[in-house]
Structure formats: C-alpha cells, structure tokens
Amino acid sequence: MRLGQRVAGLLLRPKTLGVRAVALDDRNRVFLVRHTYIPGFCLPGGGVEARETALRSLERELDEEGELEIAGPARLIGFYYNPRHSSRDHVVLYLVRVRQVKPRLPDWEIAESGFFPLDALPDDATPATRAHIQEALGLSTPSLHW
C-alpha cells in the first residue's frame, strides 16, 4: 500500500480502541468509577494510546482511575464493537485481580470510585456495566456489542 493511501485511510476511516476491566479485589468486590461527564457507575478503563498495547493501556488506566495495580494475570473476556462511540470503535474487556495502592480521591474526571460487592452494585451502575460483569464472571454469554 502506498503512503498516500495509508494516510488517507487513517484520516478518513480512523479506528479507535479502548480497554475496560472487571477489576476484583481479594474480597471479590468489583471496582467501579463514576465520571464527572457521564451518568452512572461504570467499569474503569479508557483509550489505548499510540504505540501502547491493550494490556499496558489497562495497567495505565487502572492506575489513573483507581490507584490500582494488577495482582495477577489479566484474562481476556471479549472484544466488543462499540457503535455508540463511533462506527469503527472497539473495546477490549479483561477480568483482573487488583489491589489498591492508596485511596483514589475525586478530581475533575472521577467524581467517585470504590469497590462494591457483586450482589450490591450501586443503583446507578449502568446496564452495560452490570451486563459486562455478568459476562466476565461466566454468568451470561458475552455480547458482540458494548
């Protein structure tokens, strides 16, 4: 493929990729975040940066959003199409064990965060969050869509 075709492809049809985690602590509680710019609690994660692997992005996002470090191997749960973000967006979901280095204080991006028992998620946990937790725990069939 010629350079001009590559550049045009990147500009006209950019792909985006994100990562999310069902992050469990040693008490089997799931870590959730509530952002300042969207309603409801959701799984921690974010975009994969240029020259960054999905797993490295996961490590970075868990640190940024929760002061969390991965405490065991990350298990790939699924690769999801996310048409709500863009027609070319995908999300990689992992199941990981984590430990919190220190409490995550609220700031301009994260209004609230914490660990929640799997049977007592916050009332405003998003439907997608609830569904993806069930998928990661093997309690439902993974969807193809985020």
Side-chain angles (χ1 to χ4, degrees), residues 22-31 96-98 100 114-118:
V22 174
L24 302 174
D25 69 1
D26 60 353
R27 293 171 46 198
N28 227 32
R29 299 175 303 166
V30 65
F31 188 82
V96 295
R97 290 285 175 181
V98 296
Q100 193 165 41
F115 288 97
F116 297 89
L118 292 167

Side-chain angles (χ1 to χ4, degrees), residues 54-75:
L55 191 53
R56 174 63 193 117
S57 176
L58 180 72
E59 292 169 343
R60 178 181 50 75
E61 289 291 345
L62 289 172
D63 177 55
E64 289 175 3
E65 293 193 353
E67 299 285 349
L68 303 172
E69 58 183 33
I70 295 176
R75 191 173 94 203

Side-chain angles (χ1 to χ4, degrees), residues 80 131 134-136 138-144:
Y80 301 81
Q134 294 292 306
E135 293 170 5
L139 301 173
S140 66
T141 304
S143 168
L144 297 177

Side-chain angles (χ1 to χ4, degrees), residues 60-129:
R60 178 181 50 75
E61 289 291 345
L62 289 172
D63 177 55
E64 289 175 3
E65 293 193 353
E67 299 285 349
L68 303 172
E69 58 183 33
I70 295 176
R75 191 173 94 203
L76 177 64
I77 298 302
F79 192 84
Y80 301 81
Y81 173 54
N82 184 16
R84 283 182 296 236
H85 182 68
S86 84
S87 64
R88 297 180 60 79
D89 185 55
H90 290 81
V91 177
V92 181
L93 178 64
Y94 290 95
L95 175 65
V96 295
R97 290 285 175 181
V98 296
R99 66 178 146 262
Q100 193 165 41
V101 177
K102 63 183 179 181
R104 170 59 157 91
L105 300 175
D107 63 16
W108 63 272
E109 180 187 11
I110 306 294
E112 189 176 357
S113 64
F115 288 97
F116 297 89
L118 292 167
D119 61 354
L121 298 179
D123 290 338
D124 63 341
T126 68
T129 296

